[in-house]
Amino acid sequence: LGSELLKSILHPAEIAAMLKLKYGGYIPKTMKSRKIPVRMMEGRDFCYTILNRVSRSFALVIQQLPWELRDPICIFYLVLRGLDTVEDDMKLDMKTKAPLLTNFHEIIEKDGWNMKGIGDTPDYILLMEQFHKVISEFKRLKKPYQAAIKLITKKMGKGMCDFAEKMGVDSLEEWDLYCHYVAGLVGHGLSALFSASGLEKKSLAAELEISNTMGLFLQKTNIIRDYLEDLEEGRIFWPKAVWSKWSEKHLSQFADRPHDPRSLACLNELVTNALGHIPGCLRYMRMVEDPMCFRFCAIPQVMAIATLAEVYNNPNVFKGVVKIRKGLSCRIILETEDFASVKDYFCYFLNDIKRRIPRSDPSAKLTLKRVETALRLLAAGPASSSRGKGAACTGATFNAVLGAGAVISSAYIYTHLW
């Protein structure tokens, strides 16, 4: 954590957020500081502990949910993570993989089912070896929750099977379809679970288009950010219809020429495509009424716009995985409370992109149009909060509220706080 504190040295609110999340009781005891080996745990203890292993960020975000929804959404995530682990395992040939993917919705009802040696990390392997514990908890859920999870698992498994043998994504339409299968369907499932809980209106489950949009915005952001990591693992998720316009040979050319205007033009075109999903995301978030469900939905969306601002026109995307500061992530988790706080963050990061649009970029006009469309929609929403982002829709500086003398020295951090 020391290195992350140094990265946030000019942002003391981020340092406070990191310390608050680490020491403020935000991580339940079932997810940390347990003496029992994970494989010896049972029931909910196992599920929440393995969730923290396979996705620490999701394990934090899930704590924003009402108690009624925490178990269903924890199990929903682990079921889909199991499905995704099968899909990602390159050791499995299609003869073995295809029936697993298409029948996974039935597998999650089989007592005692597990699979050894599957997964590309020790934690994923452990999840699959102990998957019968996830199944046991799935079968304890209320029937409406089980039905929603099973339906989405069935649809996602079919979609993954359809794409499993493809070496990449060709058209933008195919990119949208792929993102629908792996993320948009998650949005459908979450809306169904929200509605089934009674915490949200039944009509929310019918909002399939904007539920899908929420997932597409997140997935496209991850795909753009993970360019080099995916390339090194032999996976291509950037759509050929875009990258082939800017590369004479192959997608890998951008890694060899990270500062080339053509490399950045490709990157910026994809970011611009993702920005087109913001109106639907804003509409969805305005429909979520329960405050805790809202935070659960909004935090990843704010993380995504922060990440898009970080990767936009950034040659470092072609050199490694570009991530926002951990301190900023912690601050987003703590401060995203309502639509006003979402507005503050979105406006800040959209204005950050706007001021950095290169005039010579081929997508510049469309990027500007999409940024300004989103800003207009945000301007029509609730007034900004007073949590430190300032009047972000007018481009006010993010940390102005911190005032003079806000810089905390590293010596002070290590002497007094660490």
Side-chain angles (χ1 to χ4, degrees):
L1 187 58
S3 62
E4 294 297 337
L5 288 171
L6 287 176
K7 290 176 185 178
S8 294
I9 194 70
L10 299 179
H11 308 276
E14 294 179 9
I15 294 173
M18 280 190 280
L19 296 174
K20 189 171 183 179
L21 275 181
K22 185 172 178 66
Y23 298 113
Y26 282 82
I27 304 175
K29 290 182 179 180
T30 54
M31 291 162 52
K32 76 179 224 181
S33 302
R34 293 296 298 258
K35 302 296 183 182
I36 306 171
V38 181
R39 65 177 62 253
M40 300 298 293
M41 293 180 180
E42 298 291 340
R44 295 175 72 256
D45 270 0
F46 172 80
C47 290
Y48 280 98
T49 302
I50 198 67
L51 174 66
N52 192 49
R53 293 282 194 91
V54 298
S55 181
R56 190 177 300 272
S57 59
F58 189 81
L60 274 173
V61 174
I62 204 173
Q63 301 308 313
Q64 312 309 316
L65 285 166
W67 283 105
E68 172 66 23
L69 280 166
R70 289 190 191 183
D71 286 358
I73 290 179
C74 172
I75 300 305
F76 183 39
Y77 182 92
L78 292 177
V79 166
L80 297 187
R81 174 54 63 191
L83 178 66
D84 187 61
T85 300
V86 172
E87 193 267 341
D88 278 347
D89 197 300
M90 307 311 290
K91 300 186 298 293
L92 291 176
D93 57 37
M94 277 306 296
K95 187 176 180 181
T96 304
K97 182 180 291 189
L100 286 171
L101 294 175
T102 55
N103 296 318
F104 207 77
H105 64 289
E106 296 176 351
I107 286 172
I108 61 176
E109 294 185 313
K110 293 182 178 180
D111 292 330
W113 186 91
N114 57 54
M115 201 167 183
K116 292 181 171 58
I118 297 297
D120 53 11
T121 71
D123 292 326
Y124 292 162
I125 292 171
L126 180 60
L127 169 64
M128 300 308 290
E129 287 179 348
Q130 303 289 316
F131 204 78
H132 54 281
K133 297 175 182 178
V134 177
I135 292 173
S136 294
E137 291 306 305
F138 168 77
K139 297 178 80 170
R140 293 177 189 271
L141 298 176
K142 295 175 182 177
K143 293 299 182 182
Y145 295 147
Q146 290 187 39
I149 294 171
K150 187 174 179 180
L151 177 61
I152 297 304
T153 305
K154 180 179 180 179
K155 291 180 177 180
M156 187 177 290
K158 180 184 181 303
M160 285 181 169
C161 192
D162 290 344
F163 276 91
E165 290 188 294
K166 288 184 65 65
M167 297 303 294
V169 177
D170 293 327
S171 66
L172 284 170
E173 292 76 17
E174 198 171 54
W175 197 36
D176 282 353
L177 182 60
Y178 172 77
C179 292
H180 163 73
Y181 281 134
V182 300
L185 284 172
V186 177
H188 288 185
L190 289 173
S191 294
L193 293 173
F194 292 161
S195 294
S197 73
L199 293 166
E200 297 295 338
K201 293 178 180 177
K202 295 293 183 184
S203 58
L204 186 65
E207 294 289 347
L208 299 181
E209 182 178 350
I210 55 176
S211 296
N212 183 61
T213 293
M214 292 278 283
L216 264 60
F217 186 61
L218 301 181
Q219 185 65 21
K220 288 184 178 182
T221 299
N222 290 339
I223 287 173
I224 294 167
R225 180 198 64 193
D226 295 343
Y227 160 84
L228 191 62
E229 185 178 276
D230 287 335
L231 190 67
E232 289 175 346
E233 293 180 5
R235 301 180 299 207
I236 300 176
F237 296 118
W238 282 25
K240 187 175 182 180
V242 175
W243 66 257
S244 62
K245 291 193 297 185
W246 308 108
S247 172
E248 299 92 351
K249 297 179 181 178
H250 189 263
L251 183 63
S252 59
Q253 176 181 306
F254 303 140
D256 299 327
R257 307 172 188 174
H259 294 274
D260 190 304
R262 295 173 66 83
S263 301
L264 295 174
C266 181
L267 169 63
N268 293 343
E269 184 172 344
L270 292 179
V271 171
T272 300
N273 179 281
L275 292 174
H277 295 295
I278 291 178
C281 294
L282 297 178
R283 182 182 162 204
Y284 184 92
M285 285 187 281
R286 281 193 173 109
M287 293 183 69
V288 179
E289 297 180 349
D290 181 86
M292 298 182 81
C293 290
F294 177 86
R295 280 175 53 77
F296 174 79
C297 294
I299 288 170
Q301 300 293 318
V302 175
M303 296 278 196
I305 187 59
T307 301
L308 286 180
E310 191 71 24
V311 302
Y312 180 74
N313 204 48
N314 187 347
N316 289 327
V317 170
F318 304 112
K319 303 176 185 179
V321 177
V322 174
K323 295 183 178 181
I324 61 175
R325 296 184 302 277
K326 183 171 288 187
L328 178 56
S329 297
C330 292
R331 189 175 176 188
I332 288 170
I333 290 172
L334 291 174
E335 293 185 358
T336 303
E337 296 178 338
D338 50 26
F339 196 83
S341 56
V342 168
K343 173 182 176 178
D344 283 345
Y345 274 115
F346 264 77
C347 286
Y348 174 79
F349 291 116
L350 286 166
N351 275 300
D352 182 45
I353 293 172
K354 182 178 178 179
R355 69 176 177 80
R356 293 188 290 111
I357 298 175
R359 292 184 179 180
S360 59
D361 186 78
S363 299
K365 288 184 179 179
L366 182 57
T367 306
L368 181 61
K369 179 180 178 181
R370 290 188 169 172
V371 166
E372 290 184 338
T373 295
L375 289 172
R376 281 196 299 272
L377 290 171
L378 288 159
S384 296
S385 69
S386 56
R387 297 194 60 84
K389 276 74 70 182
C393 281
T394 63
T397 181
F398 186 76
N399 288 305
V401 74
L402 298 176
V407 176
I408 299 177
S409 70
S410 59
Y412 180 87
I413 293 170
Y414 282 107
T415 303
H416 294 85
L417 300 178
W418 210 241

